[in-house]
Structures are given as structure tokens and as C-alpha cells.
Amino acid sequence: MANNEDIFKKIISHAKEYGFVFPSSDIYDGLSAVYDYGEYGVELKNNIKNYWWRAMVQNHENIVGLDSAIFMHPTIWKASGHVDAFSDPMIDNRDSKKRYRADVLVEDYVAKIEEKINKEVEKAKKRFGDAFNEAQFRATNPRVLEHQAKMDEANTRLNNCLNENDLAGVKKLIEDLEIVCPVSGSRNWTEVRQFNLMFSTQLGSLSEETNTIYLRPETAQGIFVNFLNVQKSGRMKVPFGIAQIGKAFRNEIVARQFIFRMREFEQMEMQFFVRPGTELEWFEKWKAERLQWHLSLGTAPENFRFHPHDKLAHYANAACDIEFKFPIGFKELEGIHSRTDFDLTAHQKYSGRKIQYFDPELNESYIPYVIETSIGLDRTFLAILSNAYTEEVLEDGSERVVLKIPPVLAPIKATVLPLIKKDGLPEKAREIMDVLKVDFMCQYDEKDAIGRRYRRQDAIGTPYCITVDHQTLQDNTVTIRERDSMLQERVPIDSLTEIIRKKISI
Ligand code: ATP
């Protein structure tokens, strides 16, 4: 069986071959960690955005949308802490000349030990069969405990160093753990340095320091600086939220792993403003609600897990990631953060404007606290694509690759196929297409044998293939083939709209 790395490679090449994701500037050999979305990719991406927007804005009367500009006043990034603190610790290997995130080197080391523990557990599971008590094994097996202690120590030391901004300590940790460069295999490391992730550019034609502006590294600040505008114009009452989808830019030190870590990407963020003191309650509510959103797409629950942060960002009093089991392992997909009143307070201070909310029920003014849900659109795309990618051997021994994308997100909802290219079948198929395309993203395909056309639709995840044959001309019925089961059913043309609508409804 193919290992996960092979599957990841297959997904990447499938994404390119079938018009989901291309490397940016492909004819110039690409631009590192920047990608373009092709004809099906853009549909899937739009559908994910729409699904999120409907769940967050349309279904919450107390959440409204916003679309703020990417360029913002440079002082905003001073206030938010990004100018001073939005950096990653980096380290170079002198032999390979490769650059790494120092914290990620340690995290990878920890992940390897975790793998060892899991192997021990798997082995024991086989050995003991039904009588196996996993929790007890993990809590008592000496080898597991030894590994666990190593992991805990590495994690604790890393967090302490990062919290105290002790870069020499991070280097010492890498040395003590005897971490080698994956490329050169050597331990010839440079010092650890901080690297700010924000891209900067000049506003206007003068290249003076004061004209330096940044490409936003998160969409959240656009929401905070519009808090007063939206609260007043929308007559919003705390608790309420503001949601936004938009591009963000980070000059990531190491950007591999396809669209998992990009330098230009998209976020779907929602800032929820609450009464001070109630924020941890809302934090728990949003954790549960966001997990539910992911599960509502039908992905198996064991592919998700919560990962509470040990090291809290400067603005947070609680934080947790929703991690997804990507082919490259469990990794962050969404962050849920209790950001306190840090951002609004900072903007009040730097802007000189009073950013407060008068609570009519309490009859007092305060700066609201904030719960943020922040999800990467591209990572969600990757999660859906990798979860959908399926290789199947059929009964007749042939193989197919099928993308089992949730129908509500599928790029193309239905494809209309005349069985053959004559006898008036194409004309009839066109008639059906013309009706369906008003409501759904549809395709018409008359090229090649019907089996090949089905495969093409499987490969892009189309839930329904509608085939027009000679009987159609007599009784206005067609066969409709369902993607996952491949079952075909004869139905009246009049019922197609309703069948598709049902399939893709939330
Ligand atoms: P990581 O630890 O993976 O660098 P982060 O903790 O910096 O991520 P946040 O600042 O919490 O990420 O951003 C919120 C979400 O934005 C993440 O959960 C992720 O889905 C997405 N995201 C962040 N950085 C990138 C990136 N470089 N490429 C694609 N998506 C990203």
C-alpha cells in the first residue's frame, strides 16, 4: 500500500492535472510557496467560502460581514504587536545552507518520538488482542514512559525558551537533542535569530520610512479597527460578531508542503465581541461550534482533534487549534483564540479614539473581550481534497480515482452526457443543460466513450452524471448516475432539478 507521502504526492499531481491547483508562475518554474487555483479549484474554493459564510453570517443573526482593505495604516501593526513580535525563530545549517524554523525542528523531533510511542502501542495491541487496555499500557509501559518523558522535557524547554525569548536557549536545546539537518545530516548550526514575517512595501512614490506599509499578515485587524463603524451602523449589541474572508501574507521561513503553508493565502476569520468575564464560556461554545462545522461536511470525527496551546500569544488568555489529519500528519487547520481586550485596547491607545461599548443592560461602558475563530481557506481546501481523494478497484478489476467531495462543495454539480453524438441526443442533452445551468454549475460532455466520460467526472468529484439515450427521446426520462455508489437510476427530466437540489442542500 502506498504510504502517506506517496498519497500526498499523488494528490498534488492530481490537483494540477485536473485544474484544481497550479504552481504560481508555472512557465517560469514557479514561485516558492505561491499557488494559483485552476478552473475547478476556484469553484471548490468559492463553495467553501460560501459554506463558511452561510454558517457564520447567514445563520447567526448577531454576526455580520465585512470586507476591509489589505492595505492599512502602518500604526495598526505597531498597535497589534506585529511589528515587534510577529516573528519566527530561524536557524541555518552551515553545511546544507538550508534554513529552518528552530521551533519546528524541535516539534519534528517530538513528533518522531510520538510515532515511536504509537508503534509500541500498535505492537502491544496486536500481541494482547481484545484484552488490550490502551490507556493502562500508555500509563505504565516503561518504554512508553521513557519516550513520554523525553517529549515532555523537550516541549517544556522549548516553551520556556520561547516565552522568555531566549534564543540561545533554543539553540542549546537543538544541540542537546542532537537534532541534525535533514539535508546535510550535520549539526553545524548557526545562532537562532528572529525573523519578522510581514512583507513591507511603499505607499506612494516616496521611499521614506514613514511611507512603509505592510501587507496584512491576518485579516483580524481590519475587523478590530472597524469595530466602532460596524457596531454603530449595524446597531449591534454585545455579544456580536464580525466575519471576514480575505487574503493574508506571511513571509514564511520554510514554506513547503504544497498549499498547507503559503506566502500568500486566504483566511476566514470571525471576531466575536463579548462582555468581559464571559469570554471563556464563549471560547468553549465556539470551539464546539467550529468543530461541528467541520463534522457537518461528513468527514470522520477521528480526523480532527483539539490541540490546546501551551505557549499563548501575547494577546491571548486561552487558545486552541482544531487539527486535521492531513497526509503529512495531524496539523493545525483552524485556531480559536480568546484575545481578551488586547487589540481594542491597543487601538484605543494608538489611535486616541475611545473604543468602548455602552451596555444598556448593565448601564455601563467597557471594552469588549474577543473570541476569534480563524481558519485557513487553503488549508480547508487541502483537508477536503485529501479527504476526498480515493483510489478504487472496481468489480471488473479496473481502477478509478474519485474525489468524494461533499456534494455541497463539489465544483461541478452535474454533467449532462448524450450517450452518442448523433440521432438528436446532443440536442436533447443541450436542452437539459440549458435548464440546469441556471441553478447549478453544470457541464456538458459529448467526447469519448461514456465510461471515460464518467471517469473524468469522478476525477473532479461531480456528484451526478446525467445520460441522455434513445429512450429519452421517447419518454423524457434520463439515467442519473451517483458518483460514490455508481448506481444508475432512470428518472423523469422534470425531477432533475429537485434531485440535485436535495443532494447539495446543507
Ligand atoms: P502555523 O502554526 O501553522 O504557522 P499559525 O498558528 O501561525 O499557523 P494563525 O495565525 O492562527 O496560524 O492563523 C489562522 C489560520 O490561518 C491557521 O489555522 C491556518 O489555517 C491559516 N494559515 C496560517 N498561516 C498560513 C500559511 N502560511 N499558509 C496557509 N494557511 C495559513
Side-chain angles (χ1 to χ4, degrees):
M1 205 179 108
N3 68 29
N4 287 344
E5 211 166 289
D6 286 342
I7 289 183
F8 196 46
K9 280 191 193 139
K10 282 186 186 179
I11 291 169
I12 295 170
S13 68
H14 189 90
K16 182 172 183 194
E17 186 182 345
Y18 285 95
F20 283 85
V21 183
F22 306 128
S24 155
S25 323
D26 203 12
I27 58 170
Y28 290 91
D29 294 332
L31 181 66
S32 166
V34 186
Y35 290 90
D36 298 339
Y37 287 85
E39 65 276 20
Y40 299 121
V42 66
E43 295 297 333
L44 175 54
K45 208 172 158 193
N46 282 341
N47 292 342
I48 297 171
K49 285 192 219 180
N50 190 261
Y51 190 72
W52 183 87
W53 196 265
R54 278 201 278 170
M56 301 298 279
V57 180
Q58 186 176 320
N59 278 314
H60 288 97
E61 289 167 39
N62 60 352
I63 298 182
V64 292
L66 177 75
D67 184 13
S68 70
I70 289 172
F71 290 151
M72 293 195 274
H73 195 287
T75 308
I76 288 172
W77 303 110
K78 193 80 195 141
S80 68
H82 283 81
V83 171
D84 297 321
F86 192 59
S87 51
D88 280 336
M90 67 179 187
I91 190 167
D92 293 1
N93 182 270
R94 290 202 181 89
D95 298 321
S96 66
K97 308 266 183 284
K98 290 274 174 213
R99 179 161 288 177
Y100 298 94
R101 254 174 72 175
D103 54 334
V104 171
L105 283 179
V106 177
E107 282 164 13
D108 287 349
Y109 166 92
V110 168
K112 272 192 201 131
I113 306 183
E114 196 176 7
E115 243 169 62
K116 283 187 192 162
I117 296 183
N118 289 339
K119 276 202 185 125
E120 294 284 347
V121 172
E122 282 310 310
K123 263 198 313 198
K125 211 182 252 172
K126 277 199 194 122
R127 198 154 13 107
F128 293 111
D130 285 346
F132 184 59
N133 180 334
E134 183 173 330
Q136 192 188 2
F137 181 79
R138 282 181 183 272
T140 54
N141 179 274
R143 256 201 306 269
V144 170
L145 291 179
E146 198 183 307
H147 288 317
Q148 189 64 46
K150 264 197 203 163
M151 279 173 61
D152 293 346
E153 196 202 327
N155 276 331
T156 311
R157 279 182 65 185
L158 178 66
N159 287 328
N160 288 344
C161 292
L162 293 178
N163 281 330
E164 286 156 23
N165 207 13
D166 173 10
L167 298 182
V170 177
K171 162 121 195 241
K172 176 98 182 36
L173 178 60
I174 289 173
E175 285 170 345
D176 290 352
L177 298 177
E178 303 185 345
I179 294 176
V180 299
C181 165
V183 176
S184 69
S186 90
R187 283 188 248 152
N188 193 3
W189 297 110
T190 61
E191 298 306 309
V192 177
R193 280 167 297 159
Q194 287 289 11
F195 177 77
N196 194 296
L197 301 181
M198 280 199 294
F199 287 98
S200 62
T201 186
Q202 307 299 324
L203 190 69
S205 59
L206 294 176
S207 66
E208 289 166 15
E209 178 75 13
T210 50
N211 291 328
T212 297
I213 57 166
Y214 300 98
L215 297 188
R216 65 182 179 198
E218 61 174 28
T219 60
Q221 297 304 324
I223 295 180
F224 294 130
V225 298
N226 275 295
F227 170 80
L228 287 179
N229 283 340
V230 175
Q231 191 273 319
K232 289 204 178 100
S233 61
R235 292 178 298 126
M236 307 304 292
K237 287 199 174 63
V238 166
F240 75 92
I242 304 177
Q244 156 151 262
I245 299 176
K247 289 254 171 160
F249 304 83
R250 295 181 189 181
N251 200 0
E252 299 279 1
I253 296 169
V254 205
R256 293 185 212 109
Q257 302 168 326
F258 193 40
I259 55 173
F260 180 81
R261 191 175 298 287
M262 304 155 91
R263 296 204 164 100
E264 171 179 344
F265 59 101
E266 238 169 306
Q267 291 185 314
M268 306 190 284
E269 295 197 301
M270 193 277 298
Q271 310 295 327
F272 198 72
F273 301 94
V274 304
R275 270 186 200 161
T278 64
E279 71 276 9
L280 294 180
E281 219 175 285
W282 283 106
F283 175 69
E284 292 304 327
K285 270 193 198 154
W286 278 111
K287 263 172 64 180
E289 185 155 343
R290 289 305 305 150
L291 180 63
Q292 201 47 48
W293 182 85
H294 291 280
L295 296 177
S296 73
L297 286 167
T299 309
E302 58 267 25
N303 288 315
F304 296 97
R305 71 180 187 195
F306 284 122
H307 172 79
H309 287 203
D310 301 322
K311 177 188 181 255
L312 291 176
H314 57 277
Y315 50 73
N317 71 355
C320 176
D321 296 335
I322 295 179
E323 293 187 336
F324 178 75
K325 196 174 177 190
F326 290 98
I328 45 176
F330 265 107
K331 303 244 179 235
E332 172 175 349
L333 173 58
E334 170 159 11
I336 297 150
H337 310 124
S338 173
R339 290 181 81 127
T340 67
D341 59 352
F342 174 86
D343 301 273
L344 292 183
T345 303
H347 290 307
Q348 174 166 283
K349 179 173 150 211
Y350 279 81
S351 69
R353 299 286 183 86
K354 193 168 162 203
I355 305 183
Q356 296 216 335
Y357 169 76
F358 177 75
D359 192 324
E361 279 171 38
L362 297 181
N363 200 26
E364 66 180 61
S365 292
Y366 53 77
I367 297 179
Y369 271 47
V370 173
I371 304 300
E372 161 183 86
T373 70
S374 173
I375 176 171
L377 174 55
D378 313 270
R379 280 191 198 175
T380 308
F381 185 108
L382 181 59
I384 293 192
L385 192 65
S386 42
N387 193 56
Y389 183 88
T390 315
E391 294 175 351
E392 280 180 355
V393 180
L394 306 180
E395 270 174 17
D396 64 0
S398 64
E399 287 172 20
R400 72 163 182 163
V401 171
V402 50
L403 293 187
K404 297 187 173 177
I405 300 175
V408 61
L409 302 182
I412 304 294
K413 304 303 185 198
T415 292
V416 187
L417 317 154
L419 187 62
I420 51 172
K421 231 167 37 174
K422 54 181 186 189
D423 302 342
L425 300 188
E427 290 74 11
K428 187 74 185 170
R430 281 271 173 217
E431 263 176 41
I432 298 174
M433 172 74 187
D434 285 343
V435 172
L436 293 182
K437 77 181 181 193
V438 177
D439 292 312
F440 311 107
M441 201 64 206
C442 292
Q443 250 182 17
Y444 173 85
D445 189 6
E446 59 178 24
K447 195 166 173 292
D448 297 325
I450 193 78
R452 285 194 55 184
R453 282 182 272 167
Y454 285 157
R455 290 293 167 276
R456 268 205 296 270
Q457 295 304 320
D458 289 344
I460 61 168
T462 306
Y464 283 130
C465 285
I466 296 160
T467 305
V468 173
D469 55 19
H470 292 93
Q471 191 181 329
T472 310
L473 302 181
Q474 288 157 15
D475 65 4
N476 271 323
T477 63
V478 288
T479 59
I480 181 162
R481 170 188 179 270
E482 200 271 333
R483 177 193 68 197
D484 299 349
S485 64
M486 294 185 289
L487 289 178
Q488 302 192 23
E489 206 187 334
R490 213 158 179 107
V491 301
I493 291 173
D494 287 348
S495 65
L496 287 173
T497 299
E498 200 42 40
I499 293 174
I500 301 171
R501 199 184 299 288
K502 233 188 194 160
K503 181 91 172 170
I504 64 168
S505 100
I506 296 180

